Amino acid sequence: MSEKEAESRDPSELQDVFSGEPMDLRPGSDDCYKCSTCDTECPVAEVDDDFPGPKFQGPEQWRLKRKGDHDIDDSVMSCSNCMRCDDACPSEVPLSQMHNTARGDYVESQMSKFSREYIRNRILSNYGKLAPLGARFPRLTNFVMGLSVTKFVNEKVMGIASQRDFPEFATETFTDWWDKRGGAATSKKRAQEAREKRSDTTSETRAGRDDPREMGSGESAANDKRVAYFHGDYSNYNTPEVAKAMVRVFEQFGYEVVVPDQRCSGTPMFANGMMDDARRAAKFNIETFAALVEQGYDVICSCTSCSMALRQEYPELYSFDGTAKVAANTFEALEYLRVHEDLEGELADSSVPESEFGELAYHAPCHARNQGLDGQAVELLSALDGTDPVDVGDSCSGISGTYGWKSEKYDTSMKIGDEMFEHMEDVESETGMTECPTCAMQMNHGTGYDIRHPLEVLDAALVDV
């Protein structure tokens, strides 16, 4: 199916890129037998009595849509896109896929493009469009965005919660650091040096895997260990230390890293119903990373929402050439090293300064749970001397990307996060850890704790200075 044909197609009928067969979402509603498991797992429904829950937003909306005379209920904009309902459903109803398409329909046909809500949501969804301007003058931007008057105006004019501190821009972006460092050529050299130091290289043990998700692309020898890094906007502009850690850790294991031009994964766009923006971003990313997969690269994400988008949301919503290939060769960073290297063994022989890390209050992002990755950081780092990661429970952080930044959603966001905050405060230290940048914002906002990424811990433990 061509891109033009895909764009003209009814949004309720999408192509399953794995089977190549047309996929109509509406029959998915018939698989729902109204057990309400999804509703009991929904963090928004738990604290907001006015929100009807994922069962209504998905299957019941689609049943009504079959009649052709029913508008999308505006409560679909109160869904946070945490996607916990997908994991909870015993019948595997494509709930988040239904929510995404319903939000897109609602925004396209029922929301005024001149409304404050639409303008605010589109700005929040397209952070990567405005971030380069702020990053050009980081100190000035940080000062202005931190002013009380700026927060007041943002809330009154745009509906952005004044209680939140705007994330600071780094004085040097990750991509600037990457270019100054020498880019892919330097990474290749460092990876080769690391492989030479590893006389007992483990790369040959990667052969023989049967799972297509584990096969990757470069299976032959150590000098074929190549990964393409999907860093996302936030790691580039705000937390480059996470992206730098990813590069150094993978090079330490002998991987050559490339950092291609890329767009936002689209997760905030899906959550706000900005489906045209999401389609453009996804098309660019798929074309870019599919070409690299063809050359033998695997795709690595340091953010679990980004890996979720490339793995699940892209193939659910798009049929661009290469979509399935990118999805099948995308991995979260720790997951990839755990599959392909003896990460546990190396951590068991390493240590970090207890004064810097010590006890870590770990929160597993919802999008990590949906990928089956919720326990890996605690399990891996528990073997590392100098740190003691403590899982603070399976509750949602509540911020859900842009959701908690909206003034009308702020209180709901904080109510959802209360359980996590309480468990964090039970941990003796005042340092937290998570893979999700917006979860990190919420953790810091609710407790004041310093929040680290697991890759930063690996960097401190494993990378030669």
Side-chain angles (χ1 to χ4, degrees), residues 273-412:
M274 304 296 167
M275 301 308 283
D276 288 342
D277 294 342
R279 173 178 285 274
R280 285 189 289 270
K283 185 175 186 294
F284 185 94
N285 290 332
I286 290 167
E287 290 175 350
T288 299
F289 285 92
L292 289 166
V293 170
E294 285 284 351
Q295 297 172 38
Y297 290 86
D298 288 326
V299 183
I300 305 299
C301 301
S302 52
C303 168
T304 48
S305 292
C306 291
S307 59
M308 172 66 87
L310 272 63
R311 281 174 154 177
Q312 177 174 326
E313 290 174 304
Y314 282 11
E316 282 183 345
L317 295 169
Y318 307 118
S319 55
F320 302 125
D321 289 344
T323 304
K325 190 173 296 182
V326 170
N329 290 279
T330 294
F331 299 82
E332 187 272 335
L334 266 70
E335 170 197 25
Y336 190 84
L337 292 176
R338 195 177 193 187
V339 169
H340 297 317
E341 306 294 336
D342 182 21
L343 184 55
E344 292 94 334
E346 299 233 1
L347 288 172
D349 294 333
S350 304
S351 64
V352 292
E354 188 171 351
S355 59
E356 183 179 357
F357 296 100
E359 200 170 40
L360 296 169
Y362 172 73
H363 168 73
C366 295
H367 291 171
R369 295 183 182 281
N370 293 346
Q371 297 171 81
L373 306 175
D374 48 302
Q376 69 170 2
V378 170
E379 184 176 341
L380 283 168
L381 297 180
S382 293
L384 179 63
D385 188 33
T387 187
D388 179 20
V390 179
D391 194 323
V392 296
D394 62 358
S395 62
C396 176
S397 76
I399 194 169
S400 295
T402 63
Y403 185 86
W405 281 87
K406 301 170 186 178
S407 57
E408 72 274 16
K409 305 299 183 191
Y410 176 79
D411 288 342
T412 299

Side-chain angles (χ1 to χ4, degrees), residues 361 424-427 429-432 443-444 447-451:
M424 287 182 67
E425 289 168 357
D426 289 338
V427 177
S429 74
E430 295 187 358
T431 304
M443 294 167 75
N444 173 264
T447 64
Y449 288 12
D450 179 38
I451 311 301

Side-chain angles (χ1 to χ4, degrees), residues 7-44:
E7 289 176 343
S8 64
R9 196 164 183 169
D10 187 301
S12 69
E13 295 183 357
L14 303 171
Q15 185 182 41
D16 185 334
V17 295
F18 294 111
S19 67
E21 295 298 322
M23 178 173 57
D24 186 347
L25 285 178
R26 288 171 292 189
S29 65
D30 294 334
D31 294 332
C32 171
Y33 53 88
K34 302 184 180 181
C35 69
S36 298
T37 301
C38 59
D39 289 343
T40 63
E41 290 294 321
C42 175
V44 178

Side-chain angles (χ1 to χ4, degrees), residues 49-63:
D49 292 337
D50 294 328
F51 182 62
K55 182 178 69 175
F56 173 80
Q57 301 300 344
E60 292 183 14
Q61 287 261 39
W62 283 105
R63 290 185 183 114

Side-chain angles (χ1 to χ4, degrees), residues 40-304:
T40 63
E41 290 294 321
C42 175
V44 178
E46 184 176 357
V47 301
D48 183 358
D49 292 337
D50 294 328
F51 182 62
K55 182 178 69 175
F56 173 80
Q57 301 300 344
E60 292 183 14
Q61 287 261 39
W62 283 105
R63 290 185 183 114
L64 292 169
K65 191 175 178 67
R66 277 175 169 167
K67 299 177 181 179
D69 61 353
H70 182 75
D71 286 340
I72 301 295
D73 192 86
D74 61 4
S75 63
V76 74
M77 299 306 292
S78 292
C79 167
S80 69
N81 198 40
C82 71
M83 302 171 72
R84 292 169 77 99
C85 51
D86 281 347
D87 193 45
C89 179
S91 299
E92 299 184 348
V93 174
L95 289 157
S96 64
Q97 191 176 1
M98 290 179 169
H99 301 161
N100 281 334
T101 53
R103 266 193 302 272
D105 284 355
Y106 177 82
V107 170
E108 178 62 28
S109 60
Q110 295 172 233
M111 183 183 286
S112 169
K113 305 306 181 289
F114 299 102
S115 66
R116 182 178 83 160
E117 183 180 9
Y118 178 85
I119 295 170
R120 186 268 315 274
N121 290 358
R122 192 159 191 200
I123 289 173
L124 290 176
S125 299
N126 286 275
Y127 178 71
K129 297 289 187 183
L130 295 177
L133 178 61
R136 287 188 64 185
F137 310 99
R139 292 182 177 86
L140 176 61
T141 303
N142 295 338
F143 173 75
V144 172
M145 296 305 293
L147 294 173
S148 297
V149 66
T150 304
K151 297 179 182 180
F152 176 82
V153 171
N154 279 341
E155 175 149 9
K156 296 303 180 184
V157 177
M158 301 298 296
I160 296 174
S162 60
Q163 298 93 328
R164 294 200 180 274
D165 295 323
F166 196 83
E168 291 192 350
F169 286 98
T171 54
E172 180 183 54
T173 68
F174 164 67
T175 51
D176 284 345
W177 172 84
W178 172 259
D179 291 340
K180 290 178 183 178
R181 186 177 184 254
T186 295
S187 182
K188 182 176 182 178
K189 178 182 177 183
R190 288 175 179 263
Q192 289 174 338
E193 291 172 351
R195 289 196 296 264
E196 289 172 2
K197 291 179 181 179
R198 290 173 174 269
S199 58
D200 56 344
T201 179
T202 60
S203 65
E204 297 296 342
T205 64
R206 298 169 65 199
R209 291 191 305 271
D210 296 326
D211 186 345
R213 288 207 59 79
E214 295 184 358
M215 285 299 292
S217 300
E219 292 293 325
S220 55
N223 59 9
D224 289 323
K225 296 170 72 172
R226 297 179 292 174
V227 296
Y229 182 28
F230 190 97
H231 51 73
D233 291 328
Y234 198 78
S235 287
N236 185 33
Y237 297 110
N238 302 94
T239 56
E241 63 274 9
V242 172
K244 293 176 187 178
M246 179 276 167
V247 170
R248 289 191 291 258
V249 168
F250 271 72
E251 288 174 349
Q252 182 74 11
F253 280 98
Y255 288 90
E256 301 169 17
V257 181
V258 296
V259 181
D261 191 16
Q262 56 196 260
R263 302 291 181 266
C264 173
S265 68
T267 297
M269 301 167 194
F270 299 139
N272 286 283
M274 304 296 167
M275 301 308 283
D276 288 342
D277 294 342
R279 173 178 285 274
R280 285 189 289 270
K283 185 175 186 294
F284 185 94
N285 290 332
I286 290 167
E287 290 175 350
T288 299
F289 285 92
L292 289 166
V293 170
E294 285 284 351
Q295 297 172 38
Y297 290 86
D298 288 326
V299 183
I300 305 299
C301 301
S302 52
C303 168
T304 48

